[in-house]
Structure formats: C-alpha cells, structure tokens
Amino acid sequence: MHSRFSMYSTVIRRPISLLVLMFTISSLWPVLATAQKPKPKKKPAPPKIRLPESVRTRPSHLMDVAPASRERRTELELAAAQLDSLIEGKLTELGQSPNPYVEDDVFLRRIYLDVAGRIPTLAEAQAFLDSNDPDKRIELIDTLLGSPDYVSHTYNFWADTLRLRERPQPNIVAEPFLAYVKDAIRTNKPYDEWVYEMLTADGKVWENPATGYQLRDDGMPLPYIDNTVRIFLGTQIGCAQCHDHPFDQWSQYQFYELAALTAGTRTRIKRGDPGYEKTNPANAMISEARKHYDKGRVPGAFQRMIRANSYSVSEVKATLRLPHDYAYADAKPKSVVEPAVLWGEIPSKAKNASPRHQFAAWLTSPDNQQFQNMIVNRLWQRFMGVGFVEPIDDFRDEHPCVNEPAMEYLGKELVRSGFDLKDLIRIILYSRTYQSVASDYALTSGEPYYFPGPTIRRMTAEQVWDSMLTLAVRNPMPFQRPGAEELKPYLDVDFANLTFDQAKSQSERFAKTYFLSAYKRELNKHAYQGNILCRASELPAPQRADHFLRQFGQSDRETIDGAEKEATVPQILAMFNGPITHVMLERGSAIVDDVLAIDSTRDRIDAIFMSVLARRPVSKDRLLAAQELSRTPNDNVGYGNIIWALLNTREFLFVQ
C-alpha cells in the first residue's frame, strides 16, 4: 500500500483530537451554548431562527425522475458479472488481485456521493446500516438513480463537460439550454438521441432549447468542431486547425473537411426571417428606443431582451475554404474543401440529409465505435476515479486503453440497451469492481491502473457544497433553475409586428423577473450570510470567484472538464471558519435539530458520526469525543466542536 494512503487511513480513524487540540471554537457556537444555561425566572423568548423557512421544510415532491427499471435488473447483474470477469482476467494476467468487498458503511457513503452527489442524511444512513436485506446495495443504487439527487449531481457532471454558463455571451440567454440538459437527465433520454438533437437543433433557444449547444461557441465555427469532437469522440484535433497535428495522425486538410459539414450553421437571424428585410430589426428597435429614453440611455434589460431575439440557429447552403496561408502540397490556399468524416462513412439513412445532419448521424451512429468508447470512458472515470484511457478525451496510440475488452464490452451493452446511460451506470455500480475497497492511486505515478477497485479521490466542489447542505437544511432545493416555459413569456418577441411600446412593456416585466441581476437578488430570500442555500446545480453558473464552490475548484466553464481538485489555502479557511460551516450550527439546522432531539450522550455522538461520516464511531472515536465533552463547560459547545472537527478531516472530504 502506498505511503499516502497509510497517512490517509491514520487521519480517518483519528478524526478529532488533533483539530480540537489546535483550536477551541466555543465562541463560534453561541446558539448551541444557550441550550444548557440556567433557566431564568421568566421564560425567555424562543431563540430567533435565522435560517430561511424555505430550506427548513422538507419538500413533498421536487420532480418526476425516470426510474431504474426493475425488469432489467437481473440482466444488468449478469452484465456486471461479465464486466468483473474481464477486469479480474486482466489483473490475473498481471499477477494482481482484486481488492476485497468494501464494508457497508464505506459503500453507503461512496454510493451517495457518486450517484446523489451528497452524503446520506442521518435517517438514510441508519436505515441502510440497520437493514438485513441481502439486496440492499442494489436496491439503494436503483433508488438513488431514480431520485432528484441523481439528476442534480449528473447535471453538474455535464455542466463541467459542456461548459454550461447562463450567459456564454452577454446577449445569449442560455438558461433554457441548461434546463434542457437537466431534463434530458431527468427523463433518461437515449444518449444518441440527445446528442443528435444538440447537433441539429434550429430556432431560438426558448423555442428549441437544444440550440444552446451550438450557441455556446457562437461565432467560432472551427473551435465548435474541435470541442464537439473532443467531447463526444475523445479525439483532440484542435491543433490541426492551424497545421498538421504534431503528435497525432490528423492533418489540417482533414480538419477542414470535417468542419465543412457544419459550415452552413448560422446562429443569428438573417434576411428573410420575420421582420428582417433591409435592416437588422434588433438594431432598428434599439435605435428607436434611444429616442424615447432620457439621454438615449436604453436600459440593460431592454437591450438584453431585444438582442437575445437576434440569436436563432439555422442551416444554409455554404462552402468552406482553406485559409489563405495554407502551406501543404495537397491543396492550394483558399480552395474549396469537400466535406468528409474522419473515419468510417456517413450512415446510408443520412446520405441525402443536409451536411449538419450528416455530421450528427455519423457522430452518433451505433457503428461509430469511438462514440461508444468516449461515453464509456467518461462514466468509468466518473465512478472509478480513473479512465480506461487517460486523459479521458485524448484517444491515441500514446495513451493506450488498459483494458480494451472491458471498454468494448460496456460499449456493446450501451448500444444493445438503446444508448440507455442509466443502464450503463447500473452495470458499473452493480459490479464487484466498483463495490471493492478503494486504492490509493495517482495518475502522476506514471503506472497504469488496472482496477482492483475504484480509486480514492477528493470530492468535487459540488459534492462538498451539497454535502454541507445535507447537514444544514431539510430542503436543499428551495428553487430550480428556470427553463424555456418560464422565460419565453418575458423574452420572446415577433420582430415583424413589434412596436416600441410593446417592447418597453415586456422589457420592464423582464427586468423585474429573469433579468440576471434581478433574478439573483430574488434568490437571496433563500440565503444565509450571503450564501444561497440551494444545490449547486440550481445556482447561477459559474459562481463568483470568491464563492465556496469556486474556492473548491468549480470550473469557470470556459474549458472542457475544467474543474480542479487541488488543495489550496482558501479551501482550508473556508472549512475552518466559512459561512457554510457556520450554518450547520445554527438553531434550526438539520444536524442541530437531529442531535438535540436525542437524549443520551452516547446516541448523540452516534448521530454526529452517522450524519457527517455515515458510520458509527469506533472505540477510539468515543474516547476522543468524551475527552472533548469533558473539557468544555457546556456539552453543546463540545458537540459543536466535534462536528466542526469531523468536517475538517480527510475522511469527510474524500470519497473512499
């Protein structure tokens, strides 16, 4: 076992003593401290609860989520067994052995973090650990895959990959697309169908939200191809935009051949569209508005609403030419390039379709092995910590697959299921490989990893945030991000018939509701000390640079898979004394209510450990907890210190 894991294990089983000896924080928990003060003669007024009421009441229903089918469970268990056989066969070949099955408490915490994106609640942890059902692991996997938590967490996963921002450009309103991505996860839309929709959608984003994918790279047709092929095919051809790829087979000419398939994509309204005759109607309306507003200062909401209506995706007939400085002998500069795919052929059913539809049909075809490989590799890394191929989106000879039969098998199962991502995930999670003890492994070691079990990894920023909310509030989703239905009445205009008075009236309604600054202010009613208490998936994205999520590495959504997991000083300070750690010790928080509702000290310590670490304390934990309680004059301050100390352990911040 590597030395780093040995150190990690030591920290796990000694979670309290060092932190408590370093720093006593009685002053941080004044609310808890009042619980055991001598009773005055007059009954005092009940302490004020500062947490918003919206987060203190458990919701009865958040959303309808496509369930994990019970009918397919047996066949997926058999598929998981076949996967294990392929993984273990490779280990045997190399003289290695699979790790033993992980204990229930570690599995419990792992599966909640990996599927739900958060730690389990006290009640959830107790129910699972007390259950004697031999199928309780599979039952829990399927339950979580049918939950709103799965939708929220999986949205965060795709938001990082697809670079989801509410304003990729100032005048592009992308919320309908963000809600569309979330809805595709909620309904378990077949993966090939989902990707095809994003690559071929037409119209305004609130009419057809899938157009948001193409608007993300508005005005950048060549980076659009580079990003798309990298995201969905795991092939990095960006270097070939300017010259033949120095480290791979792709030539600059091949890059332009592929880009020619989407050269006809347009993202703005054009002549012939309603209201667009000689003059761009958006420019004309804003020019008209300057005559009506004092000193020609057109309000931001008016401009954003009008400009947003100038974005509409369509496809026209177009050709693509090589750049003027093209320097290779196979073609002349500025010559027209005929469209062609990188490998294979365009499916016969799309031969007569438009070039953009041909591109989408080729990319998502069940015959396109790389389309399968890429999503298998992404999901394998998501749950195992390391991909079959690393980096996950750079398939080439220099980055060999460590277990090609296993990756190909999962790809075939994906196609057989009709590109059902939830079933693919179930195969991985059902497997012995996933349910084994995690290994300490780092890519920087330079050694291939053959998956005796998953790897230990630090939580993502979103997992940390959502886990803190689980401890703090009963309702971690007091609102959900708006979609096309909510936004369309405030944004959509018909340029063919629009008058200034109509535009002014509608823009004023927009300014009070979904104009970004007003919308963010509205969310503050769910805030505590400036932090909006809602799951990361629903918060404005990306967050400001000083927000807890960004401090813990949330991507700025400018690059594909741009999240960071490196430790930094701001992270330590945020965990030690940040607003989100304070909220848990506020009267009315979930963990305070749960602990104070218990009478015995022993059971309170159990509840704290179960709530924070999803396990019961061992003997040494109990001894350290007793020592801490003995040196604080008020037991409730001691409980607060224990909670705070556990939050600052590696055991809390890492997925084992």
Side-chain angles (χ1 to χ4, degrees):
M1 184 176 292
H2 298 295
S3 60
R4 185 162 65 89
F5 182 63
S6 301
M7 177 180 67
Y8 170 60
S9 300
T10 302
V11 176
I12 283 179
R13 293 305 173 187
R14 297 182 61 212
I16 302 173
S17 55
L18 178 60
L19 290 167
V20 173
L21 286 172
M22 286 172 54
F23 184 38
T24 299
I25 53 167
S26 302
S27 61
L28 296 180
W29 317 132
V31 175
L32 278 175
T34 62
Q36 290 188 351
K37 285 182 178 178
K39 291 183 179 180
K41 293 179 182 178
K42 266 191 172 182
K43 188 175 180 181
K48 181 181 179 182
I49 294 178
R50 298 189 293 174
L51 295 179
E53 181 61 31
S54 60
V55 303
R56 296 187 57 241
T57 305
R58 193 177 303 280
S60 58
H61 183 73
L62 282 174
M63 65 181 78
D64 294 316
V65 182
S69 169
R70 295 187 70 89
E71 289 74 20
R72 291 197 295 278
R73 182 181 287 181
T74 299
E75 66 178 277
L76 295 176
E77 288 183 277
L78 292 172
Q82 178 61 27
L83 171 64
D84 286 330
S85 176
L86 295 170
I87 296 293
E88 291 169 15
K90 185 68 175 180
L91 289 169
T92 300
E93 179 186 320
L94 296 166
Q96 300 180 24
S97 300
N99 294 342
Y101 266 120
V102 75
E103 294 179 359
D104 274 351
D105 55 357
V106 179
F107 170 82
L108 167 70
R109 192 170 188 275
R110 179 192 297 173
I111 201 69
Y112 265 92
L113 285 167
D114 281 348
V115 178
R118 62 171 177 86
I119 58 175
T121 65
L122 173 61
E124 289 166 339
Q126 288 174 327
F128 180 81
L129 295 178
D130 291 344
S131 172
N132 294 318
D133 183 352
D135 294 327
K136 67 181 183 180
R137 291 192 180 192
I138 287 182
E139 289 288 351
L140 180 57
I141 290 168
D142 286 355
T143 297
L144 291 178
L145 285 171
S147 70
D149 292 300
Y150 164 76
V151 177
S152 175
H153 182 48
T154 305
Y155 171 86
N156 293 332
F157 171 78
W158 281 109
D160 193 25
T161 299
L162 298 176
R163 301 166 297 138
L164 299 185
R165 300 174 64 101
E166 286 156 344
R167 296 292 182 274
Q169 293 185 26
N171 295 316
I172 295 177
V173 177
E175 284 99 330
F177 176 55
L178 275 58
Y180 162 84
V181 171
K182 185 180 167 189
D183 202 57
I185 298 162
R186 182 187 67 80
T187 60
N188 197 32
K189 182 173 288 189
Y191 182 62
D192 58 339
E193 179 185 331
W194 179 37
V195 176
Y196 190 93
E197 284 180 0
M198 290 191 287
L199 300 183
T200 59
D202 288 330
K204 296 178 183 178
V205 71
W206 49 81
E207 296 170 340
N208 189 351
T211 57
Y213 177 78
Q214 291 165 90
L215 291 173
R216 180 62 184 86
D217 289 318
D218 173 62
M220 299 183 289
L222 298 183
Y224 168 83
I225 280 291
D226 177 23
N227 290 329
T228 299
V229 171
R230 180 178 173 184
I231 289 169
F232 300 117
L233 298 178
T235 305
Q236 297 192 19
I237 61 172
C239 286
Q241 179 179 332
C242 301
H243 49 74
D244 288 356
H245 201 299
F247 307 115
D248 210 340
Q249 61 182 307
W250 312 116
S251 68
Q252 187 178 12
Y253 194 82
Q254 285 177 298
F255 181 96
Y256 274 81
E257 284 181 315
L258 187 65
L261 286 164
T262 59
T265 303
R266 298 292 180 266
T267 56
R268 309 293 179 91
I269 57 174
K270 55 191 182 300
R271 282 188 175 86
D273 289 341
Y276 196 149
E277 296 175 2
K278 296 180 180 179
T279 307
N280 183 312
N283 293 340
M285 179 54 68
I286 290 173
S287 295
E288 176 66 19
R290 292 193 181 103
K291 301 174 186 176
H292 295 269
Y293 287 104
D294 184 42
K295 297 180 181 179
R297 295 173 181 166
V298 181
F302 188 103
Q303 295 196 57
R304 292 289 180 266
M305 183 192 76
I306 294 299
R307 294 289 187 201
N309 279 273
S310 68
Y311 289 88
S312 182
V313 177
S314 61
E315 184 176 12
V316 300
K317 288 185 177 181
T319 56
L320 184 66
R321 295 179 180 273
L322 291 170
H324 67 89
D325 58 351
Y326 187 77
Y328 299 100
D330 54 355
K332 295 180 179 180
K334 295 186 178 181
S335 60
V336 174
V337 180
E338 290 297 320
V341 294
L342 294 177
W343 56 76
E345 295 181 351
I346 293 169
S348 57
K349 65 180 181 181
K351 290 288 187 184
N352 297 322
S354 69
R356 188 164 58 125
H357 281 259
Q358 290 181 343
F359 172 68
W362 166 74
L363 187 145
T364 62
S365 170
D367 295 326
N368 191 340
Q369 183 70 46
Q370 198 53 34
F371 182 59
Q372 306 162 34
N373 288 346
M374 185 60 227
I375 188 58
V376 165
N377 203 42
R378 276 197 187 282
L379 292 178
W380 188 256
Q381 187 206 51
R382 175 183 171 186
F383 296 109
M384 302 299 293
V386 182
F388 286 119
V389 175
E390 287 286 351
I392 57 165
D393 55 5
D394 193 8
F395 282 68
R396 50 191 167 104
D397 292 342
E398 289 81 359
H399 304 146
C401 177
V402 298
N403 194 323
E404 203 159 311
M407 184 172 69
E408 289 184 359
Y409 175 73
L410 287 173
K412 289 177 182 176
E413 287 298 303
L414 176 66
V415 173
R416 189 172 70 84
S417 72
F419 286 91
D420 187 320
L421 291 187
K422 195 168 285 190
D423 276 2
L424 175 61
I425 291 170
R426 291 168 80 187
I427 294 172
I428 296 171
L429 300 183
Y430 286 179
S431 71
R432 173 192 169 93
T433 303
Y434 174 80
Q435 295 187 33
S436 295
V437 170
S439 300
D440 184 48
Y441 171 81
L443 280 171
T444 52
S445 69
E447 295 294 325
Y449 187 67
Y450 295 100
F451 306 102
T455 61
I456 297 170
R457 55 205 188 277
R458 204 207 75 182
M459 289 190 207
T460 64
E462 292 85 357
Q463 284 172 322
V464 180
W465 174 265
D466 289 345
S467 293
M468 302 282 255
L469 286 183
T470 300
L471 292 167
V473 304
R474 302 292 184 188
N475 180 15
M477 205 180 287
F479 62 88
Q480 296 182 48
R481 63 173 57 260
E485 290 184 5
E486 291 87 357
L487 287 157
K488 184 175 181 179
Y490 299 95
L491 284 169
D492 192 39
V493 301
D494 177 8
F495 280 131
N497 301 298
L498 185 66
T499 66
F500 168 75
D501 287 340
Q502 290 172 335
K504 180 174 181 292
S505 176
Q506 183 166 317
S507 70
E508 289 170 350
R509 295 196 302 273
F510 176 52
K512 294 176 182 177
T513 52
Y514 293 109
F515 186 47
L516 207 51
S517 57
Y519 177 68
K520 288 180 179 179
R521 284 195 299 272
E522 174 66 14
L523 300 186
N524 284 329
K525 67 185 182 184
H526 310 290
Y528 169 87
Q529 292 191 7
N531 283 268
I532 301 167
L533 301 180
C534 189
R535 288 197 63 149
S537 61
E538 312 309 307
L539 295 178
Q543 275 293 332
R544 62 186 189 273
D546 64 345
H547 190 275
F548 182 96
L549 282 164
R550 294 293 299 282
Q551 289 175 330
F552 269 82
Q554 183 190 54
S555 170
D556 62 4
R557 308 280 171 81
E558 291 294 348
T559 57
I560 297 168
D561 299 324
E564 297 287 344
K565 294 185 182 178
E566 298 300 319
T568 65
V569 172
Q571 293 170 10
I572 298 171
L573 297 176
M575 292 299 291
F576 265 43
N577 199 21
I580 193 63
T581 58
H582 282 242
V583 73
M584 278 172 295
L585 279 302
E586 277 284 347
R587 183 172 294 277
S589 77
I591 192 167
V592 166
D593 286 354
D594 286 345
V595 171
L596 294 185
I598 298 169
D599 293 329
S600 96
T601 299
R602 181 184 180 87
D603 290 344
R604 285 184 173 187
I605 297 302
D606 280 359
I608 289 172
F609 271 78
M610 293 271 278
S611 297
V612 181
L613 301 181
R615 67 172 174 85
R616 294 185 170 90
V618 297
S619 298
K620 186 177 289 187
D621 296 327
R622 292 190 186 282
L623 177 61
L624 292 168
Q627 290 173 352
E628 175 57 24
L629 291 173
S630 69
R631 64 171 148 253
T632 52
N634 184 300
D635 280 355
N636 291 308
V637 172
Y639 294 133
N641 288 351
I642 294 167
I643 293 168
W644 176 85
L646 292 180
L647 287 174
N648 283 279
T649 60
R650 289 171 64 92
E651 183 174 2
F652 178 75
L653 285 174
F654 279 73
V655 184
Q656 292 187 72

